[in-house]
Amino acid sequence: MALLDARGTFFEPARTAFPGADEADWARAALLDPGAAGPGGAWRLDFRCFAVARPGGRWVLVDAGVGPADGPAAGWAPVPGRLPTALAEAGIDPADVETVVLTHLHEDHAGWTSGPGGEPFFPAARHVVQRAEVAALDRADPVREWTVAPLRARGQLHEVDGMHRLAQGLTLLPTPGHTPGHQSVLVEQGPAGRDVLITGDALVHAVQLGNPAVPYSHERDRPTARASREHLLSRAARHGALLATSHLTRAFVEPPAPEEPGRRAAEAASDPAR
């Protein structure tokens, strides 16, 4: 279930945020996600979390949005987010969230780990993050005091290493590059359904869906991010999985055809200008 926390315009124009994309890439992106194109080259984006139903009326939440008005994302994201309202509209009590998966520790993905007064917003939830992500977090990063320190103090921070089976049908997949410990989530529906890959920020704009070789200006390690993105999209295409996106203006999108990442990589390798 997609839960929209916020919607806004990024602080950089799209063509600044995604250097290296050519006109064909932008034309394709406009077809894949027309809602992302704002006036004057602005990038419009959503800030989205995903809820996965579990037995017994319990839930797993993937990412925690931009957070309240006094959260660490306040300097650039459209706060306060509306996740509390979105949860209520979906009939989800925060106390029934058993696990919060943090794809990474950027401010707009960890905002609702605390409520407006600093209290835990999900009082019974373990918060699962890659150990490499916590280790790489700068000591001055506001998410350390907003998210990591209080969760650790309450015994709610669970650090994992690499691929991790969270529960039956839920697997955490390392997709580093955007940040050192970025992870995505595979939701397996079984024979009767369709798998879903929750991408986090391995994919942040449709220009990267059309051409996964396009870098994002705020990726920590661009070559690693590209490799993670190409692998994730290839996996989704091979297995017929649907992509669940954090920042596209469409929550669920189809992956590119199975041969697409390889073809685009070959084009890039053959063209020195790309």
Side-chain angles (χ1 to χ4, degrees):
M1 183 186 302
L3 301 172
L4 181 65
D5 186 41
R7 177 171 284 153
T9 301
F10 201 57
F11 56 82
E12 289 179 341
R15 292 182 184 236
T16 301
F18 299 94
D22 62 20
E23 293 306 319
D25 294 327
W26 288 115
R28 189 170 189 198
L31 294 174
L32 291 169
D33 189 18
W43 171 22
R44 290 175 173 159
L45 70 165
D46 288 351
F47 298 81
R48 193 177 291 110
C49 311
F50 291 90
V52 183
R54 301 292 300 149
R58 309 294 286 175
W59 294 87
V60 169
L61 185 73
V62 181
D63 281 331
V66 300
D70 61 346
W76 66 274
V79 297
R82 62 177 305 275
L83 183 61
T85 300
L87 288 166
E89 291 170 349
I92 301 173
D93 189 319
D96 291 332
V97 175
E98 62 183 11
T99 302
V100 176
V101 175
L102 299 172
T103 60
H104 61 299
L105 292 175
H106 280 168
E107 300 98 324
D108 57 319
H109 290 258
W112 288 108
T113 51
S114 296
E119 72 283 358
F121 191 76
F122 300 101
R126 57 175 177 158
H127 293 65
V128 183
V129 65
Q130 289 284 325
R131 194 179 312 276
E133 184 74 1
V134 178
L137 192 66
D138 191 280
R139 291 192 175 276
D141 194 306
V143 174
R144 181 174 290 278
E145 292 304 315
W146 183 265
T147 297
V148 174
L151 290 177
R152 183 174 279 157
R154 294 192 296 264
Q156 290 180 269
L157 186 70
H158 291 249
E159 298 177 50
V160 299
D161 294 299
M163 185 179 292
H164 179 78
R165 187 77 164 181
L166 190 65
Q168 184 175 359
L170 280 173
T171 303
L172 308 183
L173 305 176
T175 46
H178 181 76
T179 59
H182 188 281
Q183 61 185 349
S184 302
V185 183
L186 173 63
V187 184
E188 297 172 280
Q189 298 292 320
R194 187 177 185 186
D195 292 351
V196 175
L197 266 170
I198 304 175
T199 65
D201 278 5
L203 169 73
V204 295
H205 191 286
V207 75
Q208 295 181 306
L209 178 62
N211 181 3
V214 171
Y216 174 43
S217 61
H218 299 285
E219 291 167 340
R220 184 78 69 90
D221 182 336
R222 292 184 184 182
T224 300
R226 172 180 173 176
S228 290
R229 185 163 47 252
E230 290 180 344
H231 178 74
L232 193 70
L233 294 178
S234 178
R235 178 174 185 153
R238 288 197 313 271
H239 296 282
L242 197 62
L243 301 172
T245 72
S246 296
H247 295 305
L248 274 66
T249 64
R250 298 167 56 202
F252 298 99
V253 299
E254 296 287 343
E259 70 278 3
E260 189 69 359
R263 182 180 68 80
R264 299 293 295 195
E267 289 176 354
S270 66
D271 184 354
R274 290 180 65 87

